[in-house]
Amino acid sequence: MQKLSLRAVQKLTCKKRDAWWTVLLVDPVATRLVCLFARFDWITPNRVTWAALFVGLGSAGFFLKGDYESLAIGAGLYHISFILDCIDGKLARLKGNGSVFGGWLDYVFDRIRVLFCALALMGGQFLRTDEPVFLLAALVVVFLDMLRYVDALQIYKMRMSMRSKIEAVTLARQAEAGVKEEDQKVVFMEDLLRENPLAEGETLKAAAATRPGQPEVIDLHRQFRESFPWYARFRHALLRTRIRPHLISGIEFQMFIFIVGPLIGHVLVTTAVSAILLGAFELVIMFKFWLSTRDFTRTMERLAPDSVPTRAGSISPHLQAGRHRRREGDQGRPDTGADTWTGQDDPYSYDAPYLQEHQYSQETRTEPDGWNAQVTWMDQRFPAPEPDDDPGFQPYPHPYPAEPEAQDTAWLPRVPTQPHPGHHHADSGQSWS
């Protein structure tokens, strides 16, 4: 196999935006190792992932000892483990043999490595110092690591949901306007910025508006950029070196706790500072996502005003008393055994208007046909809520089901009645006590 070009490998395997720890301390080593590993067919991305896990567990073993030399060795092994963790993805992109299972394996092994290293590092310090605060620190590290990745996945899911809804409405409008199917498309500002990371958002939007037949550019981060205009300059300055603006992510959080802390001999202080910084950046991400949801709502109101509920924040009329539950004080309902109740004073009663229209008697209302007619009238007057976009939505069951049909139970075997203690048994003449 011919020698690979390092620059070509870097361009193909390195991400356009990455954590500053990865860009500065991992990629220079990882890309050179990728050029070496790519020569051997038996070195696959999944095997590199397994190697990263085993090296990470080895670092956990040294962390558990607790002395400084062991902590330094554990920190070095953890950094090697992270380099291998980056190599598996780069190798998959270079050779084109990545798989869905490999991506899942990489994610799960990362969580296992963090869990074991956190318990070993803090557990080793607890055994040496007998300070319970290290046990609390272990819980904090595991919790924040899980929260970071779960939150990232959930925000990504919500962003894809917002994009899908906007795409559906926009494509429907284009179809109504007579745009050919092959010419229908939706353009998002975040896609334009991803393709042109150093360009200005307004410049890209203006350039897109000048093209004939170019659809409107949907911007779901407009309010954030308008509120923080300096962010664009800060982002551009970092992207020139491939560093993403999210300076304290899960990667930096792990590296500070498992590498910097053990090397400088201040595990607890480093953990506390890292946790505070990660929490602060997570709050910024949540705030940015909240502003994005407001942009989404305004976009939907503009594109499809009919699809936005006008009674948002209020209770729908069909959920009021009289349909889904009985109110206290109702007397004389057909299923309560009362004889006199007409519901004339209850505007939401299920049979007062019905009786006025059809003049049904009390006996007729208890018949099956009369009851079914009332149920049909109630379903028409109080329709069930729309399923909206929730695939797990189930309509309310009918609160007053029809009387079950009588069934012949003569064929069922008779179960003898169990006497209560202290009562006289009629058959045996004995008294149970």
Side-chain angles (χ1 to χ4, degrees):
M1 183 177 181
Q2 296 181 354
K3 184 178 180 180
L4 296 175
S5 170
L6 179 61
R7 185 176 296 275
V9 171
Q10 291 175 341
K11 186 176 181 180
L12 180 62
T13 62
C14 293
K15 299 177 182 178
K16 293 183 179 180
R17 296 184 300 171
D18 213 335
W20 63 264
W21 185 281
T22 304
V23 173
L24 301 178
L25 301 176
V26 175
D27 282 348
V29 179
T31 50
R32 287 170 172 80
L33 291 177
V34 167
C35 295
L36 176 62
F37 292 167
R39 299 183 179 185
F40 304 96
D41 294 335
W42 58 272
I43 300 181
T44 63
N46 286 351
R47 291 177 179 176
V48 176
T49 303
W50 279 98
L53 174 65
F54 291 143
V55 175
L57 295 180
S59 68
F62 282 96
F63 285 152
L64 189 59
K65 295 182 179 181
D67 59 279
Y68 179 76
E69 292 183 358
S70 299
L71 291 179
I73 296 175
L77 289 178
Y78 194 90
H79 189 59
I80 295 175
S81 173
F82 184 70
I83 291 176
L84 293 174
D85 186 37
C86 294
I87 288 176
D88 58 4
K90 297 180 185 299
L91 190 63
R93 287 189 290 271
L94 178 63
K95 305 182 74 173
N97 57 349
S99 63
V100 176
F101 177 76
W104 172 85
L105 196 70
D106 181 49
Y107 175 81
V108 173
F109 282 2
D110 285 348
R111 307 284 70 74
I112 294 176
R113 180 182 59 197
V114 171
L115 173 64
F116 276 85
C117 287
L119 295 178
L121 178 61
M122 302 305 171
Q125 295 304 302
F126 170 74
L127 295 176
R128 285 178 60 86
T129 63
D130 200 26
E131 292 289 341
V133 68
F134 285 102
L135 300 181
L136 179 61
L139 295 177
V140 170
V141 171
V142 175
F143 170 76
L144 288 179
D145 179 75
M146 294 294 180
L147 176 65
R148 166 73 190 102
Y149 283 91
V150 169
D151 184 48
L153 291 176
Q154 188 66 18
I155 288 180
Y156 174 79
K157 176 182 176 182
M158 293 297 102
R159 290 191 186 281
M160 292 300 102
S161 176
M162 291 189 297
R163 287 174 60 105
S164 299
K165 293 178 181 180
I166 292 177
E167 287 176 353
V169 173
T170 304
L171 294 178
R173 292 184 61 186
Q174 293 178 1
E176 293 177 357
V179 180
K180 297 181 180 179
E181 185 175 357
E182 57 271 15
D183 296 333
Q184 297 177 7
K185 59 180 178 179
V186 184
V187 181
F188 289 92
M189 176 63 72
E190 54 188 307
D191 295 337
L192 296 178
L193 290 175
R194 189 177 295 110
E195 297 172 358
N196 307 274
L198 298 179
E200 295 286 346
E202 295 301 326
T203 303
L204 294 175
K205 191 172 183 179
T210 58
R211 301 174 187 172
Q214 181 73 12
E216 175 190 1
V217 177
I218 305 298
D219 190 0
L220 294 180
H221 298 285
R222 177 181 178 182
Q223 187 173 357
F224 180 81
R225 282 196 293 272
E226 291 178 351
S227 302
F228 306 95
W230 54 266
Y231 175 78
R233 298 189 296 271
F234 174 71
R235 175 178 176 273
H236 292 163
L238 292 178
L239 289 181
R240 289 188 176 93
T241 56
R242 295 197 305 113
I243 297 177
R244 62 188 180 188
H246 190 190
L247 296 179
I248 306 297
S249 64
I251 294 176
E252 289 81 7
F253 177 68
Q254 296 177 29
M255 301 305 113
F256 270 84
I257 293 176
F258 300 124
I259 297 179
V260 176
L263 289 179
I264 66 177
H266 296 284
V267 175
L268 194 60
V269 174
T270 307
T271 301
V273 174
S274 302
I276 294 174
L277 292 177
L278 180 66
F281 271 84
E282 286 301 304
L283 290 177
V284 172
I285 291 177
M286 295 177 186
F287 176 70
K288 184 180 179 181
F289 176 67
W290 175 68
L291 294 180
S292 180
T293 59
R294 291 167 61 91
D295 289 328
F296 166 74
T297 302
R298 284 191 291 267
T299 302
M300 291 296 294
E301 289 176 349
R302 179 170 48 82
L303 296 177
D306 296 337
S307 64
V308 179
T310 58
R311 294 178 52 85
S314 60
I315 300 177
S316 180
H318 73 273
L319 296 178
Q320 302 298 328
R323 172 163 174 79
H324 293 285
R325 65 175 183 270
R326 291 179 175 83
R327 296 175 297 177
E328 296 182 1
D330 289 347
Q331 301 294 333
R333 303 272 182 172
D335 57 348
T336 60
D339 296 330
T340 58
W341 184 84
T342 60
Q344 299 294 334
D345 298 330
D346 187 357
Y348 290 102
S349 64
Y350 57 86
D351 59 351
Y354 186 84
L355 290 175
Q356 296 173 6
E357 180 179 356
H358 295 84
Q359 300 296 326
Y360 274 136
S361 63
Q362 180 72 20
E363 292 77 10
T364 307
R365 277 184 289 156
T366 59
E367 296 177 359
D369 293 341
W371 176 261
N372 293 335
Q374 296 178 52
V375 170
T376 302
W377 178 85
M378 282 298 303
D379 289 337
Q380 294 175 355
R381 181 175 181 185
F382 301 102
E386 295 294 331
D388 204 10
D389 296 323
D390 186 3
F393 172 83
Q394 295 293 337
Y396 292 106
H398 198 280
Y400 311 121
E403 294 294 333
E405 297 181 0
Q407 298 182 3
D408 184 13
T409 59
W411 59 274
L412 294 175
R414 182 180 180 184
V415 180
T417 304
Q418 295 294 332
H420 294 283
H423 287 254
H424 181 75
H425 196 282
D427 295 335
S428 63
Q430 298 178 358
S431 176
W432 298 81
S433 58

